[in-house]
Amino acid sequence: MTALTIDRINKRYGNLHILKDISIPIGQGEFVSLLGPSGCGKTTTLRCIAGFERPDTGRILFGERDVTRALPEQRDIGMVFQSYALFPHMTVAENLSFGLEVRKVAPADRQRRIADVLAMVRLEGYDKRYPRELSGGQQQRVALARALVIEPSVLLLDEPLANLDATLRDEMRFFIRDLQQRVGITSIYVTHDQAEAMVMSDKIVVMNAGTISQFGSPREIYERPASQSVAGFIGRSNTISGKIAEALGQDGYKVETPCGSIGATGPAGLSKGAEVKIMIRPENISTRSQAASGHQQGAGAEEAGSGENVLAGSVVNSVYQGSANQLAVKLGSGDRVIVDVNGRNPLEVGEQVALRFAARDTWLLAS
Amino acid sequence: MTGATSGVEKTIWDRLFTVLVAAIYIFLMFPIVLVVLLSFNSGEFLAFPLEGFSLRWFEALFSNKRFLDATLYSIQIAATSTIVNAVIGTLAAIYVARHATVARDYIRLIMTAPLLVPEILTAIALLFYFYEIRIGTDYSIGIQIGHIVVTFPYVFLNVSSALFNFDRSQEEAARSLGAGGWMTFRRVTLPAIKPGIITGCLFAFVISFDIFNISLLLKSLGSNTLPLELFDYLRFNFDPTAAAIASLSIFMTFAAILIIDRTVGLRSLRF
Ligand SMILES: Nc1ncnc2c1ncn2[C@@H]1O[C@H](COP(=O)(O)OP(=O)(O)OP(=O)(O)O)[C@@H](O)[C@H]1O
Ligand SMILES: [Mg+2]
């Protein structure tokens, strides 16, 4: 069942087209992130859902109810702002009480719900404090509690962790996600931090310049990006250009590249001769010193029928990072490939290496 | 590193500067101190040397019906100006901050004009205008409007700066929690801008109590504000009653500053 439907909304400011036909179906209890570079329209989308902006065309449905024209206070939302937006002249308890008073909840009930939600965000005993007497992380949790205490049908969060330091941010990611799952509330989360979106979300909406580049689970987006821009935005990736030489079954292809023929996986329906880029994630490539592997330099890329590809290259850069070290390898074709290696057998700059990766770990992107 | 140390060490220039500032303050405060001293002097004349401590001039002040009436009249006008400006100054500030779009800077300029235009010009302009609409100086509404116009910018500017420093997402938070426009204003916006309103109102009151030119030109016959009464008095008398009146005004101003400091804190004052 869809809890929230965003149906082809468009938004213009003057002659700037900010949102272009945005459609997102969101299931009950799902945690959906809006992810994209600065200025791509994430906040605008969220504000349309909240009712602070009105889309020029398109509809927004909460369940079956069309709220496109409803005022924010009529929508039954909880919202967490980047600046927290706590009421500075009210104590924590009064901040939480506000939404309940508006809803005419009886005083005894109010007390109980405030106590419950304060326990949930681990802030028991802080009810008499003023926001200025709290740390950033505590204010953040009060903001979360204030949004949750009214038990809204949708929780909206606009970069709530952007003002926290890195350690606290990591902690709060899991805290928010855990809380969201316990309460089971449908949530929409705006961020431009891809790592945050990856660890927290059920689904990610990757946005770019007012359009949706891809909508899917973190795994789909990471392993099967829809375009080069998505692949580049989510995690690190290598690409090798080539042409489809042959389709093998549903999603297997043989791709002709300057380094030889490579077996790769890709979306169904790519036609022979199409220009493509082969995407390989750095952690999916294994290396072996050329001398040890016994391979001849410039040997054919794919080991026939095995689904394994082997490319030769030379190390041009090696970065020590402690646990996972990084190598930059220059291929015969001139392409540079980034590879993750473990620290135990470091390779020197200038050394010849064989790069090995499976066809199922690659993904073809239209160029 | 030199930048860091120069902040700690006091150079000769720092000391000279301190002395200069102190001198300016003494120069400015000296007349005020003199007036207060003279108001407690038992001598017959508004002059030195001091003869002895006495409250007789305050007694004279409060037993003088003309001064008493003038004080009450001034308070009435100042209070009316304050209350009216509390409402329209706040509303104007909200309008300019929230709804004026293209013409915002021009509207802001017009709103603060009474502060920028010399008071006497405002007075003359209003006088012409009142004659034009056939009120003239027959009613006290004229002088009242004059006072409202001149003190308006103090409330407007203070509330504007309070609104400028106010994080509007608080209002959105209130809306998201289900509060309507009025509820949001009453429980979130108003408490946030209250210090600005209080400060602006106190300024408006003190300024209205003090201004002279507007009152001189716009007053109706037979009613004097305190500064006017004082002016009339000084033309024919030169005894310390005048000093007592001045002291009274100074006390009121200090009282206002004290109230501002106690309620909202002088630190929050920014124009
Ligand atoms: N009130 C407005 N008037 C004109 N343009 C606006 C307005 N609000 C937003 N925009 C423009 O709309 C675009 C999208 O803005 P939005 O705030 O949604 O971006 P975002 O994806 O949230 O970016 P960020 O990560 O920086 O917060 C931006 O180019 C912005 O300049
Ligand atoms: Mg944003």
Side-chain angles (χ1 to χ4, degrees), chain A residues 42-43 158-159 190:
Chain A
K42 307 179 295 286
T43 298
D158 191 357
E159 307 211 26
V190 165

mmCIF file of all heavy atoms in Angstrom, chain A residues 42-43 158-159 190, ligand 2:
data_model
loop_
_atom_site.group_PDB
_atom_site.id
_atom_site.type_symbol
_atom_site.label_atom_id
_atom_site.label_comp_id
_atom_site.label_asym_id
_atom_site.label_seq_id
_atom_site.Cartn_x
_atom_site.Cartn_y
_atom_site.Cartn_z
ATOM 1 N N LYS A 42 15.856 18.998 -3.799
ATOM 2 C CA LYS A 42 15.442 18.105 -2.709
ATOM 3 C C LYS A 42 14.554 18.824 -1.700
ATOM 4 O O LYS A 42 13.470 18.351 -1.359
ATOM 5 C CB LYS A 42 16.684 17.562 -1.967
ATOM 6 C CG LYS A 42 17.711 16.906 -2.862
ATOM 7 C CD LYS A 42 18.913 16.422 -2.067
ATOM 8 C CE LYS A 42 19.718 17.526 -1.413
ATOM 9 N NZ LYS A 42 20.537 18.310 -2.336
ATOM 10 N N THR A 43 15.057 19.972 -1.218
ATOM 11 C CA THR A 43 14.290 20.718 -0.219
ATOM 12 C C THR A 43 12.963 21.167 -0.789
ATOM 13 O O THR A 43 11.930 21.092 -0.115
ATOM 14 C CB THR A 43 15.103 21.927 0.269
ATOM 15 O OG1 THR A 43 16.293 21.445 0.893
ATOM 16 C CG2 THR A 43 14.328 22.752 1.268
ATOM 17 N N ASP A 158 14.774 17.366 6.838
ATOM 18 C CA ASP A 158 15.610 18.074 5.863
ATOM 19 C C ASP A 158 17.029 18.231 6.397
ATOM 20 O O ASP A 158 17.286 19.076 7.236
ATOM 21 C CB ASP A 158 15.014 19.452 5.557
ATOM 22 C CG ASP A 158 15.700 20.111 4.368
ATOM 23 O OD1 ASP A 158 16.662 19.521 3.836
ATOM 24 O OD2 ASP A 158 15.280 21.208 3.964
ATOM 25 N N GLU A 159 17.921 17.400 5.925
ATOM 26 C CA GLU A 159 19.325 17.404 6.357
ATOM 27 C C GLU A 159 19.470 17.617 7.855
ATOM 28 O O GLU A 159 20.151 18.544 8.297
ATOM 29 C CB GLU A 159 20.100 18.497 5.605
ATOM 30 C CG GLU A 159 19.908 18.364 4.102
ATOM 31 C CD GLU A 159 21.113 18.826 3.319
ATOM 32 O OE1 GLU A 159 22.230 18.791 3.867
ATOM 33 O OE2 GLU A 159 20.927 19.196 2.152
ATOM 34 N N VAL A 190 15.908 14.144 3.491
ATOM 35 C CA VAL A 190 16.702 14.851 2.493
ATOM 36 C C VAL A 190 18.161 14.876 2.913
ATOM 37 O O VAL A 190 18.473 15.167 4.068
ATOM 38 C CB VAL A 190 16.201 16.307 2.328
ATOM 39 C CG1 VAL A 190 17.215 17.142 1.577
ATOM 40 C CG2 VAL A 190 14.865 16.319 1.612
HETATM 41 MG MG MG C 2 18.134 21.800 0.805
#
